[in-house]
């Protein structure tokens, strides 16, 4: 017999987790992996907004920007 389980999230705790240094560290790891998969000419940065930590991965040269636009290099690097 199965029992119904209700889960109530602690909103303040989730908010703190999304902005924590631990979350930034996890995101930096993902950013490193995507940059590694994409190859030379890509970089990433991590910052925290009022709501959460964010990682941005971007091309650093005009050539890699064109490559990304034509081949979706960053999207393919997510796998």
């Amino acid at each position: 017999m199965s029992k119904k389980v209700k889960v109530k999230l602690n909103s303040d705790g989730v908010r703190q987790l999304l902005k924590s240094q631990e979350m930034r560290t996890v995101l930096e790891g993902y950013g490193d992996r995507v940059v590694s998969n994409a190859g030379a000419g890509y970089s990433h940065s991590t910052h925290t907004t009022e709501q959460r930590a964010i990682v941005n991965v971007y091309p650093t040269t005009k050539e890699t920007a064109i490559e990304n636009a034509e081949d979706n290099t960053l999207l393919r690097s997510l796998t």
Side-chain angles (χ1 to χ4, degrees), residues 8 14 21 25 28-29 33-34 38 41 45 53 57 61-62 64-65 72:
K8 184 175 179 182
V14 171
Q21 181 58 43
T25 302
E28 286 175 6
R33 189 174 76 193
V34 171
S45 65
V57 182
T61 65
K62 183 178 179 180
T64 53
N72 291 320

Side-chain angles (χ1 to χ4, degrees), residues 8-56:
K8 184 175 179 182
L9 294 176
N10 178 329
S11 297
D12 290 334
V14 171
R15 196 171 299 112
Q16 287 177 344
L17 175 65
L18 289 174
K19 295 191 289 185
S20 69
Q21 181 58 43
E22 290 84 359
M23 184 62 71
R24 283 183 64 128
T25 302
V26 168
L27 292 175
E28 286 175 6
Y30 284 124
D32 288 338
R33 189 174 76 193
V34 171
V35 167
S36 174
N37 290 342
Y42 294 92
S43 187
H44 70 86
S45 65
T46 308
H47 63 278
T48 305
T49 67
E50 288 184 22
Q51 297 180 352
R52 65 190 67 211
I54 296 174
V55 64
N56 293 313

